[in-house]
Amino acid sequence: GLTVKYFMGDAFDKSAGSIKVTTDDGKTANVNMSDESVSVEGFNANAVGTQNVTVRYTDGGNSYTDTVSVQVYEVGSVKFTAPGKLTYKSHDTELKINDGYFIVTAKDDPTLTKPVSLTRDMIIKDFDPSVATRENLESAITQEVEVEYLGNTFTFQVTITYSGVSLMLDAIESLKELNWENSIPTYT
């Protein structure tokens, strides 16, 4: 159904729910909130409390409106759970974040919570796998990753080991430097 509970800073969610429209001639139709002909007016994500939001459906030259009551809650706490993958090789190019998430709890109602998935734009200090060198074939290095959500900064540690793939790529770069004009290659 229609989302009627929001936290400060949330955008109005038109992805779920529908409205029932009754035309002047008495016919009814259910219209998805996500329909382009549905608009929402009067929602303020920064105003805590009950808000009466106008939902407008426009069909041709006709416009139908109704009022929906929504509640915006102040954020009480944010807890972070780091992604499950915390061990990387030097040839890995991207931090796997698909299972990292935040749990937001309302200030005045600790039973009201909302999960929020970790996204790339929340990362303020990413990992750099290129810092692992041949010296890290046996001993991994540790890096700190920082993420931010709703003004709260959280950190977690990842370990990076120099990989056999990186060793081979380094060897290929070395071979490119050889002069193959003679039967015995020489460095140029």
Side-chain angles (χ1 to χ4, degrees):
L2 179 64
T3 303
V4 294
K5 293 181 180 182
Y6 293 90
F7 285 92
M8 282 186 69
D10 284 348
F12 193 89
D13 182 10
K14 284 183 46 179
S15 66
S18 62
I19 55 172
K20 184 176 183 178
V21 176
T22 304
T23 60
D24 294 336
D25 60 4
K27 294 181 183 177
T28 61
N30 285 322
V31 179
N32 289 330
M33 284 293 295
S34 59
D35 191 296
E36 290 180 12
S37 58
V38 176
S39 63
V40 176
E41 302 162 5
F43 178 72
N44 182 348
N46 297 314
V48 172
T50 303
Q51 299 178 27
N52 291 319
V53 176
T54 301
V55 177
R56 183 178 315 280
Y57 170 67
T58 305
D59 182 22
N62 298 318
S63 181
Y64 306 93
T65 61
D66 198 2
T67 303
V68 177
S69 182
V70 299
Q71 182 73 30
V72 177
Y73 293 89
E74 186 174 350
V75 174
S77 66
V78 179
K79 293 184 180 172
F80 175 64
T81 299
K85 181 170 174 56
L86 300 174
T87 304
Y88 292 87
K89 299 288 185 178
S90 56
H91 66 274
D92 289 328
T93 58
E94 192 171 273
L95 193 65
K96 304 295 182 205
I97 63 168
N98 55 334
D99 57 349
Y101 62 94
F102 303 90
I103 297 292
V104 181
T105 303
K107 182 177 182 180
D108 297 327
D109 183 358
T111 64
L112 180 61
T113 61
K114 174 180 81 165
V116 177
S117 296
L118 176 62
T119 59
R120 296 242 166 258
D121 61 329
M122 296 172 180
I123 299 171
I124 55 177
K125 180 183 167 195
D126 207 344
F127 84 131
D128 180 7
S130 68
V131 298
T133 63
R134 289 181 185 187
E135 290 78 36
N136 303 110
L137 269 169
E138 300 292 326
S139 61
I141 62 169
T142 302
Q143 282 188 343
E144 188 171 84
V145 176
E146 287 183 20
V147 296
E148 183 180 30
Y149 183 66
L150 295 178
N152 298 281
T153 302
F154 301 91
T155 60
F156 61 96
Q157 305 284 322
V158 296
T159 57
I160 306 167
T161 306
Y162 188 75
S163 69
V165 171
S166 293
L167 184 63
M168 294 302 294
L169 291 172
D170 288 348
I172 290 169
E173 289 303 313
S174 293
L175 289 173
K176 287 180 182 178
E177 296 176 15
L178 295 175
N179 179 348
W180 292 90
E181 290 181 18
N182 302 324
S183 59
I184 299 174
T186 57
Y187 280 99
T188 55

